[in-house]
Amino acid sequence: MTDSLWHDSATVEEASAVTVKLTDSILGRLLTSPPGLEARVYDAMCYSALAPGKRLRPLLVLASARLFGVAERSALQVAAAIEMVHAYSLIHDDLPAMDNSDLRRGRPTCHKAFDEATAVLAGDGLLTMAFEVLSHPDTHGDPAVRCELVAALAAAAGAAGMVGGQMIDLIAETQTLELGAITRLQRMKTGALIAFACEAGAILAKAPHDARVGLRGYAHDLGLAFQIADDLLDVEGSAEETGKPVGADAAAGKATFVSILGVERARAQAELLINQAVAHLDLFEQRAELLRQVARFVIDRRT
Ligand code: GRG
């Protein structure tokens, strides 16, 4: 990767600010509206994908790509693709048929700002465009690498990953799940996409097996710690901080890590997972410092 992204000793705050700027710039370019009547769906896609968010998944893609010196342009294509899938999942999750939420990223949700049918289409448009972006030659010169990225993102986002996790989450509204089942649901719902973000750099670089195993281990623990932090924010955070309604899980009577373990044990579990995540990065030595910082950021965050 070129030096233009961030310097070697950049803090997570600096790298995150650069990530937001570059990801939003490529998303804005990829989502440019055509002149026809279909411009409305592009407007809705832009509205949600460019709304202020942490861009955590793009940051993980860029940081993992940098470990291997992957070209900036390739990494940014993947960063844009994963943020499109993430934005689609938030749009559909907020629909009346799912969480029925009015607020996301501090703004009215997509179906409130547009309408339900447009929100469904905006999600569909973002999901499908993500794969168009991954399969574009700008993403990588080698078609086998592009194909591996497409297969990995499809597996992470689909019924064996995020969609399957969301299905179990809906079932959890009417059925009490125990800790093991909740762990599996969260690994699928949020962990799978986070794992793809962490592995993307290794795929782009055709990295050796041990590097992939290290990143996979890091992602596995990071994803779960991220979800516990999200559950803690749902209990302890405010709508001003998170940009979305809080207390939703408790109101729906849904079992979460926090409802089962309690606040203190849940926080201790998240700390343990972050320490484990960081230990998986040892083989990368100093080069993984940013990923280590991201791990801390994930559980210290207030948004
Ligand atoms: C509808 C197929 C489908 C899936 C939805 C990810 C998801 C599955 C729903 C989102 C609901 C939710 C609040 C999950 C908790 C973890 C999570 C994904 C939080 C939002 O991600 P952040 O914190 O958001 O990275 P920003 O806005 O910063 O990008």
Side-chain angles (χ1 to χ4, degrees), residues 51-58 83 85-94 98-99 104-105 157-158 162-167 169 186 188-190 193-194 226-227 230-231 233 242 244 301 303:
K54 293 181 289 298
R55 310 294 185 255
L56 171 68
R57 294 151 193 81
E83 194 61 21
V85 173
H86 174 55
Y88 128 76
S89 78
L90 299 181
I91 295 172
H92 282 196
D93 185 63
D94 289 333
M98 298 215 197
D99 265 11
R104 171 69 68 181
R105 293 172 159 177
M162 185 175 69
V163 166
Q166 180 76 350
M167 184 74 255
D169 200 35
Q186 301 300 358
M188 291 166 75
K189 192 176 98 166
T190 51
L193 209 56
I194 287 178
F226 174 90
Q227 187 57 51
D230 208 71
D231 289 352
L233 277 174
T242 61
K244 62 183 181 185
R301 71 200 167 95
T303 65

mmCIF file of all heavy atoms in Angstrom, residues 51-58 83 85-94 98-99 104-105 157-158 162-167 169 186 188-190 193-194 226-227 230-231 233 242 244 301 303, ligand 1:
data_model
loop_
_atom_site.group_PDB
_atom_site.id
_atom_site.type_symbol
_atom_site.label_atom_id
_atom_site.label_comp_id
_atom_site.label_asym_id
_atom_site.label_seq_id
_atom_site.Cartn_x
_atom_site.Cartn_y
_atom_site.Cartn_z
ATOM 1 N N ALA A 51 -24.314 8.015 5.489
ATOM 2 C CA ALA A 51 -24.660 8.587 6.795
ATOM 3 C C ALA A 51 -23.484 8.369 7.748
ATOM 4 O O ALA A 51 -22.733 7.402 7.602
ATOM 5 C CB ALA A 51 -25.912 7.898 7.339
ATOM 6 N N PRO A 52 -23.312 9.281 8.729
ATOM 7 C CA PRO A 52 -22.127 9.165 9.586
ATOM 8 C C PRO A 52 -22.101 7.882 10.411
ATOM 9 O O PRO A 52 -23.031 7.604 11.163
ATOM 10 C CB PRO A 52 -22.214 10.407 10.488
ATOM 11 C CG PRO A 52 -23.591 10.934 10.328
ATOM 12 C CD PRO A 52 -24.136 10.452 9.032
ATOM 13 N N GLY A 53 -21.054 7.096 10.203
ATOM 14 C CA GLY A 53 -20.855 5.851 10.958
ATOM 15 C C GLY A 53 -19.373 5.726 11.241
ATOM 16 O O GLY A 53 -18.567 6.540 10.786
ATOM 17 N N LYS A 54 -19.014 4.691 11.972
ATOM 18 C CA LYS A 54 -17.602 4.555 12.368
ATOM 19 C C LYS A 54 -16.716 4.082 11.230
ATOM 20 O O LYS A 54 -15.513 4.237 11.274
ATOM 21 C CB LYS A 54 -17.496 3.551 13.524
ATOM 22 C CG LYS A 54 -18.128 4.043 14.812
ATOM 23 C CD LYS A 54 -17.975 3.033 15.939
ATOM 24 C CE LYS A 54 -18.821 1.787 15.770
ATOM 25 N NZ LYS A 54 -20.277 2.009 15.736
ATOM 26 N N ARG A 55 -17.301 3.412 10.241
ATOM 27 C CA ARG A 55 -16.545 2.783 9.134
ATOM 28 C C ARG A 55 -15.518 1.803 9.712
ATOM 29 O O ARG A 55 -14.379 1.730 9.253
ATOM 30 C CB ARG A 55 -15.839 3.820 8.226
ATOM 31 C CG ARG A 55 -16.731 4.964 7.735
ATOM 32 C CD ARG A 55 -17.838 4.507 6.794
ATOM 33 N NE ARG A 55 -18.601 5.626 6.250
ATOM 34 C CZ ARG A 55 -19.832 5.982 6.640
ATOM 35 N NH1 ARG A 55 -20.469 5.273 7.579
ATOM 36 N NH2 ARG A 55 -20.445 7.000 6.086
ATOM 37 N N LEU A 56 -15.967 1.058 10.731
ATOM 38 C CA LEU A 56 -15.067 0.096 11.388
ATOM 39 C C LEU A 56 -14.627 -1.021 10.432
ATOM 40 O O LEU A 56 -13.461 -1.413 10.411
ATOM 41 C CB LEU A 56 -15.778 -0.514 12.606
ATOM 42 C CG LEU A 56 -15.051 -1.686 13.260
ATOM 43 C CD1 LEU A 56 -13.761 -1.208 13.932
ATOM 44 C CD2 LEU A 56 -15.936 -2.401 14.267
ATOM 45 N N ARG A 57 -15.575 -1.534 9.629
ATOM 46 C CA ARG A 57 -15.222 -2.638 8.736
ATOM 47 C C ARG A 57 -14.222 -2.185 7.668
ATOM 48 O O ARG A 57 -13.224 -2.874 7.423
ATOM 49 C CB ARG A 57 -16.497 -3.267 8.159
ATOM 50 C CG ARG A 57 -17.332 -3.938 9.262
ATOM 51 C CD ARG A 57 -18.819 -3.972 8.996
ATOM 52 N NE ARG A 57 -19.592 -4.342 10.177
ATOM 53 C CZ ARG A 57 -19.919 -3.470 11.158
ATOM 54 N NH1 ARG A 57 -19.565 -2.185 11.072
ATOM 55 N NH2 ARG A 57 -20.618 -3.875 12.199
ATOM 56 N N PRO A 58 -14.458 -0.977 7.038
ATOM 57 C CA PRO A 58 -13.418 -0.471 6.126
ATOM 58 C C PRO A 58 -12.057 -0.295 6.820
ATOM 59 O O PRO A 58 -11.018 -0.607 6.236
ATOM 60 C CB PRO A 58 -13.983 0.882 5.666
ATOM 61 C CG PRO A 58 -15.465 0.687 5.717
ATOM 62 C CD PRO A 58 -15.698 -0.183 6.930
ATOM 63 N N GLU A 83 -18.701 -1.956 3.254
ATOM 64 C CA GLU A 83 -19.557 -0.923 3.856
ATOM 65 C C GLU A 83 -20.930 -0.917 3.169
ATOM 66 O O GLU A 83 -21.942 -0.643 3.805
ATOM 67 C CB GLU A 83 -18.867 0.441 3.776
ATOM 68 C CG GLU A 83 -19.484 1.526 4.643
ATOM 69 C CD GLU A 83 -19.502 1.268 6.169
ATOM 70 O OE1 GLU A 83 -18.717 0.447 6.674
ATOM 71 O OE2 GLU A 83 -20.344 1.900 6.848
ATOM 72 N N VAL A 85 -22.454 -3.617 2.054
ATOM 73 C CA VAL A 85 -23.198 -4.742 2.643
ATOM 74 C C VAL A 85 -23.666 -4.379 4.061
ATOM 75 O O VAL A 85 -24.805 -4.658 4.448
ATOM 76 C CB VAL A 85 -22.327 -6.032 2.656
ATOM 77 C CG1 VAL A 85 -23.024 -7.144 3.427
ATOM 78 C CG2 VAL A 85 -22.033 -6.482 1.237
ATOM 79 N N HIS A 86 -22.792 -3.718 4.797
ATOM 80 C CA HIS A 86 -23.162 -3.301 6.160
ATOM 81 C C HIS A 86 -24.357 -2.330 6.111
ATOM 82 O O HIS A 86 -25.336 -2.486 6.851
ATOM 83 C CB HIS A 86 -21.938 -2.658 6.814
ATOM 84 C CG HIS A 86 -22.193 -2.048 8.151
ATOM 85 N ND1 HIS A 86 -22.743 -2.748 9.206
ATOM 86 C CD2 HIS A 86 -21.974 -0.780 8.627
ATOM 87 C CE1 HIS A 86 -22.847 -1.950 10.248
ATOM 88 N NE2 HIS A 86 -22.401 -0.750 9.929
ATOM 89 N N ALA A 87 -24.294 -1.346 5.209
ATOM 90 C CA ALA A 87 -25.378 -0.353 5.114
ATOM 91 C C ALA A 87 -26.694 -1.039 4.725
ATOM 92 O O ALA A 87 -27.757 -0.717 5.266
ATOM 93 C CB ALA A 87 -25.012 0.746 4.109
ATOM 94 N N TYR A 88 -26.599 -1.989 3.793
ATOM 95 C CA TYR A 88 -27.813 -2.741 3.409
ATOM 96 C C TYR A 88 -28.414 -3.441 4.629
ATOM 97 O O TYR A 88 -29.632 -3.418 4.853
ATOM 98 C CB TYR A 88 -27.479 -3.755 2.291
ATOM 99 C CG TYR A 88 -27.906 -5.185 2.563
ATOM 100 C CD1 TYR A 88 -29.250 -5.581 2.459
ATOM 101 C CD2 TYR A 88 -26.974 -6.153 2.952
ATOM 102 C CE1 TYR A 88 -29.634 -6.896 2.738
ATOM 103 C CE2 TYR A 88 -27.348 -7.457 3.230
ATOM 104 C CZ TYR A 88 -28.677 -7.823 3.132
ATOM 105 O OH TYR A 88 -29.059 -9.108 3.421
ATOM 106 N N SER A 89 -27.547 -4.065 5.446
ATOM 107 C CA SER A 89 -28.061 -4.826 6.595
ATOM 108 C C SER A 89 -28.752 -3.885 7.588
ATOM 109 O O SER A 89 -29.776 -4.242 8.180
ATOM 110 C CB SER A 89 -26.949 -5.629 7.271
ATOM 111 O OG SER A 89 -26.140 -4.811 8.102
ATOM 112 N N LEU A 90 -28.212 -2.684 7.739
ATOM 113 C CA LEU A 90 -28.837 -1.729 8.676
ATOM 114 C C LEU A 90 -30.188 -1.263 8.138
ATOM 115 O O LEU A 90 -31.169 -1.156 8.888
ATOM 116 C CB LEU A 90 -27.906 -0.529 8.911
ATOM 117 C CG LEU A 90 -26.531 -0.844 9.522
ATOM 118 C CD1 LEU A 90 -25.730 0.445 9.731
ATOM 119 C CD2 LEU A 90 -26.646 -1.596 10.844
ATOM 120 N N ILE A 91 -30.257 -0.978 6.820
ATOM 121 C CA ILE A 91 -31.532 -0.525 6.222
ATOM 122 C C ILE A 91 -32.615 -1.583 6.434
ATOM 123 O O ILE A 91 -33.722 -1.291 6.898
ATOM 124 C CB ILE A 91 -31.378 -0.256 4.705
ATOM 125 C CG1 ILE A 91 -30.416 0.901 4.436
ATOM 126 C CG2 ILE A 91 -32.748 0.023 4.065
ATOM 127 C CD1 ILE A 91 -30.080 1.095 2.955
ATOM 128 N N HIS A 92 -32.278 -2.842 6.105
ATOM 129 C CA HIS A 92 -33.291 -3.895 6.220
ATOM 130 C C HIS A 92 -33.608 -4.191 7.692
ATOM 131 O O HIS A 92 -34.758 -4.453 8.044
ATOM 132 C CB HIS A 92 -32.824 -5.155 5.481
ATOM 133 C CG HIS A 92 -32.998 -5.060 3.994
ATOM 134 N ND1 HIS A 92 -32.965 -6.158 3.149
ATOM 135 C CD2 HIS A 92 -33.219 -3.987 3.184
ATOM 136 C CE1 HIS A 92 -33.146 -5.754 1.894
ATOM 137 N NE2 HIS A 92 -33.301 -4.447 1.891
ATOM 138 N N ASP A 93 -32.588 -4.131 8.547
ATOM 139 C CA ASP A 93 -32.806 -4.394 9.973
ATOM 140 C C ASP A 93 -33.778 -3.383 10.590
ATOM 141 O O ASP A 93 -34.536 -3.709 11.505
ATOM 142 C CB ASP A 93 -31.465 -4.339 10.711
ATOM 143 C CG ASP A 93 -31.588 -4.715 12.179
ATOM 144 O OD1 ASP A 93 -31.966 -5.862 12.457
ATOM 145 O OD2 ASP A 93 -31.332 -3.860 13.044
ATOM 146 N N ASP A 94 -33.750 -2.147 10.080
ATOM 147 C CA ASP A 94 -34.595 -1.084 10.648
ATOM 148 C C ASP A 94 -36.044 -1.132 10.155
ATOM 149 O O ASP A 94 -36.900 -0.424 10.686
ATOM 150 C CB ASP A 94 -34.002 0.290 10.290
ATOM 151 C CG ASP A 94 -32.705 0.568 11.046
ATOM 152 O OD1 ASP A 94 -32.536 0.021 12.143
ATOM 153 O OD2 ASP A 94 -31.864 1.322 10.529
ATOM 154 N N MET A 98 -38.774 -5.920 10.655
ATOM 155 C CA MET A 98 -37.696 -6.412 11.542
ATOM 156 C C MET A 98 -37.690 -5.576 12.826
ATOM 157 O O MET A 98 -38.580 -5.700 13.622
ATOM 158 C CB MET A 98 -36.365 -6.390 10.797
ATOM 159 C CG MET A 98 -36.414 -7.320 9.585
ATOM 160 S SD MET A 98 -34.884 -8.142 9.236
ATOM 161 C CE MET A 98 -35.190 -8.660 7.551
ATOM 162 N N ASP A 99 -36.722 -4.665 12.985
ATOM 163 C CA ASP A 99 -36.637 -3.929 14.264
ATOM 164 C C ASP A 99 -37.597 -2.746 14.369
ATOM 165 O O ASP A 99 -37.757 -2.168 15.442
ATOM 166 C CB ASP A 99 -35.203 -3.427 14.482
ATOM 167 C CG ASP A 99 -34.412 -4.387 15.341
ATOM 168 O OD1 ASP A 99 -34.926 -5.498 15.570
ATOM 169 O OD2 ASP A 99 -33.297 -4.035 15.769
ATOM 170 N N ARG A 104 -31.336 5.961 12.984
ATOM 171 C CA ARG A 104 -30.107 5.219 12.682
ATOM 172 C C ARG A 104 -29.035 6.232 12.348
ATOM 173 O O ARG A 104 -29.264 7.128 11.538
ATOM 174 C CB ARG A 104 -30.356 4.273 11.499
ATOM 175 C CG ARG A 104 -29.143 3.591 10.933
ATOM 176 C CD ARG A 104 -28.542 2.563 11.858
ATOM 177 N NE ARG A 104 -29.378 1.399 12.051
ATOM 178 C CZ ARG A 104 -29.037 0.376 12.851
ATOM 179 N NH1 ARG A 104 -27.895 0.408 13.517
ATOM 180 N NH2 ARG A 104 -29.850 -0.645 13.000
ATOM 181 N N ARG A 105 -27.897 6.066 12.954
ATOM 182 C CA ARG A 105 -26.769 6.969 12.738
ATOM 183 C C ARG A 105 -27.195 8.433 12.932
ATOM 184 O O ARG A 105 -26.812 9.329 12.168
ATOM 185 C CB ARG A 105 -26.158 6.752 11.346
ATOM 186 C CG ARG A 105 -25.482 5.388 11.186
ATOM 187 C CD ARG A 105 -25.050 5.089 9.779
ATOM 188 N NE ARG A 105 -24.008 4.048 9.726
ATOM 189 C CZ ARG A 105 -23.509 3.563 8.601
ATOM 190 N NH1 ARG A 105 -23.932 3.990 7.436
ATOM 191 N NH2 ARG A 105 -22.571 2.648 8.632
ATOM 192 N N ALA A 157 -21.993 -12.835 4.377
ATOM 193 C CA ALA A 157 -23.234 -12.054 4.402
ATOM 194 C C ALA A 157 -24.485 -12.932 4.313
ATOM 195 O O ALA A 157 -25.571 -12.489 4.686
ATOM 196 C CB ALA A 157 -23.231 -11.042 3.247
ATOM 197 N N GLY A 158 -24.346 -14.142 3.803
ATOM 198 C CA GLY A 158 -25.521 -14.971 3.473
ATOM 199 C C GLY A 158 -26.118 -15.753 4.627
ATOM 200 O O GLY A 158 -25.904 -15.441 5.807
ATOM 201 N N MET A 162 -24.388 -13.610 8.160
ATOM 202 C CA MET A 162 -25.198 -12.523 8.707
ATOM 203 C C MET A 162 -26.716 -12.757 8.575
ATOM 204 O O MET A 162 -27.470 -12.536 9.545
ATOM 205 C CB MET A 162 -24.809 -11.205 8.007
ATOM 206 C CG MET A 162 -25.499 -9.998 8.559
ATOM 207 S SD MET A 162 -24.901 -8.481 7.801
ATOM 208 C CE MET A 162 -25.537 -8.625 6.148
ATOM 209 N N VAL A 163 -27.166 -13.196 7.406
ATOM 210 C CA VAL A 163 -28.611 -13.408 7.211
ATOM 211 C C VAL A 163 -29.117 -14.512 8.151
ATOM 212 O O VAL A 163 -30.181 -14.373 8.784
ATOM 213 C CB VAL A 163 -28.923 -13.739 5.729
ATOM 214 C CG1 VAL A 163 -30.325 -14.290 5.565
ATOM 215 C CG2 VAL A 163 -28.728 -12.495 4.855
ATOM 216 N N GLY A 164 -28.329 -15.587 8.271
ATOM 217 C CA GLY A 164 -28.721 -16.672 9.187
ATOM 218 C C GLY A 164 -28.767 -16.178 10.625
ATOM 219 O O GLY A 164 -29.683 -16.522 11.389
ATOM 220 N N GLY A 165 -27.784 -15.347 10.994
ATOM 221 C CA GLY A 165 -27.747 -14.796 12.349
ATOM 222 C C GLY A 165 -28.963 -13.922 12.616
ATOM 223 O O GLY A 165 -29.558 -13.965 13.697
ATOM 224 N N GLN A 166 -29.334 -13.153 11.606
ATOM 225 C CA GLN A 166 -30.522 -12.291 11.750
ATOM 226 C C GLN A 166 -31.788 -13.143 11.911
ATOM 227 O O GLN A 166 -32.683 -12.799 12.684
ATOM 228 C CB GLN A 166 -30.638 -11.379 10.514
ATOM 229 C CG GLN A 166 -31.817 -10.441 10.525
ATOM 230 C CD GLN A 166 -31.645 -9.240 11.458
ATOM 231 O OE1 GLN A 166 -30.716 -9.185 12.248
ATOM 232 N NE2 GLN A 166 -32.536 -8.301 11.367
ATOM 233 N N MET A 167 -31.836 -14.266 11.193
ATOM 234 C CA MET A 167 -32.996 -15.167 11.312
ATOM 235 C C MET A 167 -33.105 -15.679 12.755
ATOM 236 O O MET A 167 -34.182 -15.662 13.356
ATOM 237 C CB MET A 167 -32.815 -16.348 10.336
ATOM 238 C CG MET A 167 -33.967 -17.312 10.278
ATOM 239 S SD MET A 167 -35.400 -16.634 9.398
ATOM 240 C CE MET A 167 -36.517 -16.236 10.705
ATOM 241 N N ASP A 169 -31.872 -14.288 15.353
ATOM 242 C CA ASP A 169 -32.179 -13.140 16.212
ATOM 243 C C ASP A 169 -33.687 -12.877 16.243
ATOM 244 O O ASP A 169 -34.255 -12.555 17.290
ATOM 245 C CB ASP A 169 -31.443 -11.908 15.666
ATOM 246 C CG ASP A 169 -31.296 -10.826 16.719
ATOM 247 O OD1 ASP A 169 -31.126 -11.169 17.889
ATOM 248 O OD2 ASP A 169 -31.371 -9.642 16.358
ATOM 249 N N GLN A 186 -24.565 -14.377 17.412
ATOM 250 C CA GLN A 186 -23.794 -13.140 17.238
ATOM 251 C C GLN A 186 -22.582 -13.350 16.347
ATOM 252 O O GLN A 186 -22.207 -12.466 15.587
ATOM 253 C CB GLN A 186 -23.366 -12.563 18.595
ATOM 254 C CG GLN A 186 -24.519 -12.230 19.530
ATOM 255 C CD GLN A 186 -25.490 -11.207 18.954
ATOM 256 O OE1 GLN A 186 -25.298 -10.698 17.854
ATOM 257 N NE2 GLN A 186 -26.553 -10.915 19.686
ATOM 258 N N MET A 188 -22.534 -15.229 13.872
ATOM 259 C CA MET A 188 -23.059 -15.214 12.499
ATOM 260 C C MET A 188 -23.513 -13.801 12.115
ATOM 261 O O MET A 188 -23.172 -13.280 11.061
ATOM 262 C CB MET A 188 -24.231 -16.196 12.372
ATOM 263 C CG MET A 188 -23.813 -17.651 12.486
ATOM 264 S SD MET A 188 -25.214 -18.767 12.727
ATOM 265 C CE MET A 188 -25.931 -18.805 11.087
ATOM 266 N N LYS A 189 -24.275 -13.160 12.992
ATOM 267 C CA LYS A 189 -24.914 -11.879 12.635
ATOM 268 C C LYS A 189 -23.909 -10.744 12.447
ATOM 269 O O LYS A 189 -23.994 -9.991 11.475
ATOM 270 C CB LYS A 189 -25.954 -11.495 13.693
ATOM 271 C CG LYS A 189 -26.841 -10.340 13.245
ATOM 272 C CD LYS A 189 -27.935 -10.019 14.254
ATOM 273 C CE LYS A 189 -27.533 -8.872 15.120
ATOM 274 N NZ LYS A 189 -28.620 -8.274 15.890
ATOM 275 N N THR A 190 -22.995 -10.587 13.369
ATOM 276 C CA THR A 190 -22.023 -9.481 13.223
ATOM 277 C C THR A 190 -20.596 -9.982 13.027
ATOM 278 O O THR A 190 -19.804 -9.332 12.358
ATOM 279 C CB THR A 190 -22.038 -8.536 14.442
ATOM 280 O OG1 THR A 190 -21.907 -9.314 15.616
ATOM 281 C CG2 THR A 190 -23.286 -7.732 14.522
ATOM 282 N N LEU A 193 -19.127 -10.818 9.152
ATOM 283 C CA LEU A 193 -18.730 -9.688 8.297
ATOM 284 C C LEU A 193 -17.423 -9.060 8.810
ATOM 285 O O LEU A 193 -16.551 -8.673 8.019
ATOM 286 C CB LEU A 193 -19.856 -8.648 8.260
ATOM 287 C CG LEU A 193 -19.967 -7.808 6.984
ATOM 288 C CD1 LEU A 193 -20.108 -8.676 5.747
ATOM 289 C CD2 LEU A 193 -21.142 -6.837 7.078
ATOM 290 N N ILE A 194 -17.294 -8.994 10.133
ATOM 291 C CA ILE A 194 -16.057 -8.466 10.729
ATOM 292 C C ILE A 194 -14.889 -9.399 10.374
ATOM 293 O O ILE A 194 -13.787 -8.949 10.050
ATOM 294 C CB ILE A 194 -16.236 -8.292 12.250
ATOM 295 C CG1 ILE A 194 -17.155 -7.083 12.502
ATOM 296 C CG2 ILE A 194 -14.903 -8.121 12.972
ATOM 297 C CD1 ILE A 194 -17.488 -6.792 13.942
ATOM 298 N N PHE A 226 -16.992 -7.013 20.098
ATOM 299 C CA PHE A 226 -17.749 -5.905 19.504
ATOM 300 C C PHE A 226 -19.222 -6.025 19.878
ATOM 301 O O PHE A 226 -19.872 -5.053 20.257
ATOM 302 C CB PHE A 226 -17.576 -5.930 17.979
ATOM 303 C CG PHE A 226 -18.418 -4.924 17.242
ATOM 304 C CD1 PHE A 226 -17.934 -3.649 16.990
ATOM 305 C CD2 PHE A 226 -19.701 -5.238 16.799
ATOM 306 C CE1 PHE A 226 -18.710 -2.708 16.315
ATOM 307 C CE2 PHE A 226 -20.477 -4.315 16.137
ATOM 308 C CZ PHE A 226 -19.986 -3.046 15.884
ATOM 309 N N GLN A 227 -19.750 -7.243 19.778
ATOM 310 C CA GLN A 227 -21.171 -7.446 20.066
ATOM 311 C C GLN A 227 -21.479 -7.235 21.544
ATOM 312 O O GLN A 227 -22.499 -6.633 21.891
ATOM 313 C CB GLN A 227 -21.605 -8.847 19.616
ATOM 314 C CG GLN A 227 -23.087 -9.073 19.735
ATOM 315 C CD GLN A 227 -23.902 -8.055 18.950
ATOM 316 O OE1 GLN A 227 -23.643 -7.843 17.767
ATOM 317 N NE2 GLN A 227 -24.875 -7.402 19.587
ATOM 318 N N ASP A 230 -21.666 -3.699 22.086
ATOM 319 C CA ASP A 230 -22.933 -3.184 21.559
ATOM 320 C C ASP A 230 -24.072 -3.430 22.560
ATOM 321 O O ASP A 230 -24.911 -2.558 22.787
ATOM 322 C CB ASP A 230 -23.236 -3.870 20.221
ATOM 323 C CG ASP A 230 -24.061 -2.989 19.321
ATOM 324 O OD1 ASP A 230 -23.509 -1.989 18.813
ATOM 325 O OD2 ASP A 230 -25.259 -3.264 19.167
ATOM 326 N N ASP A 231 -24.065 -4.612 23.152
ATOM 327 C CA ASP A 231 -25.088 -4.936 24.165
ATOM 328 C C ASP A 231 -24.946 -4.009 25.378
ATOM 329 O O ASP A 231 -25.949 -3.563 25.954
ATOM 330 C CB ASP A 231 -24.947 -6.389 24.643
ATOM 331 C CG ASP A 231 -25.367 -7.390 23.574
ATOM 332 O OD1 ASP A 231 -25.900 -6.971 22.532
ATOM 333 O OD2 ASP A 231 -25.147 -8.601 23.789
ATOM 334 N N LEU A 233 -23.717 -0.987 25.351
ATOM 335 C CA LEU A 233 -24.176 0.344 24.954
ATOM 336 C C LEU A 233 -25.699 0.418 24.945
ATOM 337 O O LEU A 233 -26.286 1.461 25.243
ATOM 338 C CB LEU A 233 -23.654 0.697 23.546
ATOM 339 C CG LEU A 233 -22.221 1.252 23.482
ATOM 340 C CD1 LEU A 233 -21.781 1.411 22.036
ATOM 341 C CD2 LEU A 233 -22.137 2.597 24.206
ATOM 342 N N THR A 242 -25.163 7.011 20.495
ATOM 343 C CA THR A 242 -25.145 5.901 19.547
ATOM 344 C C THR A 242 -25.859 6.229 18.237
ATOM 345 O O THR A 242 -25.665 5.539 17.242
ATOM 346 C CB THR A 242 -25.817 4.644 20.142
ATOM 347 O OG1 THR A 242 -27.178 4.973 20.443
ATOM 348 C CG2 THR A 242 -25.126 4.186 21.411
ATOM 349 N N LYS A 244 -28.899 5.787 17.632
ATOM 350 C CA LYS A 244 -30.002 4.839 17.437
ATOM 351 C C LYS A 244 -30.698 4.649 18.776
ATOM 352 O O LYS A 244 -30.103 4.928 19.820
ATOM 353 C CB LYS A 244 -29.478 3.507 16.874
ATOM 354 C CG LYS A 244 -28.507 2.801 17.794
ATOM 355 C CD LYS A 244 -27.938 1.520 17.181
ATOM 356 C CE LYS A 244 -26.992 0.865 18.162
ATOM 357 N NZ LYS A 244 -26.300 -0.306 17.656
ATOM 358 N N ARG A 301 -15.475 2.100 22.958
ATOM 359 C CA ARG A 301 -16.284 3.072 22.201
ATOM 360 C C ARG A 301 -17.581 3.438 22.927
ATOM 361 O O ARG A 301 -18.100 2.649 23.708
ATOM 362 C CB ARG A 301 -16.597 2.509 20.801
ATOM 363 C CG ARG A 301 -17.583 1.365 20.808
ATOM 364 C CD ARG A 301 -17.508 0.533 19.547
ATOM 365 N NE ARG A 301 -18.218 -0.717 19.697
ATOM 366 C CZ ARG A 301 -19.476 -0.918 19.327
ATOM 367 N NH1 ARG A 301 -20.167 0.041 18.776
ATOM 368 N NH2 ARG A 301 -20.053 -2.081 19.508
ATOM 369 N N THR A 303 -20.036 4.887 20.796
ATOM 370 C CA THR A 303 -20.994 5.024 19.674
ATOM 371 C C THR A 303 -21.118 3.725 18.919
ATOM 372 O O THR A 303 -20.261 2.866 19.008
ATOM 373 C CB THR A 303 -20.541 6.091 18.672
ATOM 374 O OG1 THR A 303 -19.322 5.671 18.049
ATOM 375 C CG2 THR A 303 -20.340 7.426 19.352
HETATM 376 C C1 GRG B 1 -31.186 -7.515 7.769
HETATM 377 C C2 GRG B 1 -29.843 -9.368 6.680
HETATM 378 C C3 GRG B 1 -30.006 -8.402 7.748
HETATM 379 C C4 GRG B 1 -29.068 -8.364 8.704
HETATM 380 C C5 GRG B 1 -29.056 -7.405 9.783
HETATM 381 C C6 GRG B 1 -26.038 -6.399 11.311
HETATM 382 C C7 GRG B 1 -27.492 -6.620 11.448
HETATM 383 C C8 GRG B 1 -28.016 -7.810 10.757
HETATM 384 C C9 GRG B 1 -28.300 -5.796 12.114
HETATM 385 C C10 GRG B 1 -27.871 -4.596 12.799
HETATM 386 C C11 GRG B 1 -28.471 -4.548 14.158
HETATM 387 C C12 GRG B 1 -27.466 -4.295 15.172
HETATM 388 C C13 GRG B 1 -27.587 -3.010 15.910
HETATM 389 C C14 GRG B 1 -26.509 -5.194 15.411
HETATM 390 C C15 GRG B 1 -25.486 -4.986 16.418
HETATM 391 C C16 GRG B 1 -24.126 -4.832 15.885
HETATM 392 C C17 GRG B 1 -24.061 -3.852 14.781
HETATM 393 C C18 GRG B 1 -23.957 -4.410 13.418
HETATM 394 C C19 GRG B 1 -24.074 -2.561 15.042
HETATM 395 C C20 GRG B 1 -23.976 -1.527 14.010
HETATM 396 O O1 GRG B 1 -22.693 -1.510 13.486
HETATM 397 P P1 GRG B 1 -21.709 -0.313 13.799
HETATM 398 O O2 GRG B 1 -21.680 -0.041 15.277
HETATM 399 O O3 GRG B 1 -22.495 0.878 13.084
HETATM 400 O O4 GRG B 1 -20.401 -0.584 13.143
HETATM 401 P P2 GRG B 1 -21.967 2.165 12.307
HETATM 402 O O5 GRG B 1 -23.191 3.050 12.192
HETATM 403 O O6 GRG B 1 -20.857 2.800 13.107
HETATM 404 O O7 GRG B 1 -21.490 1.684 10.972
#
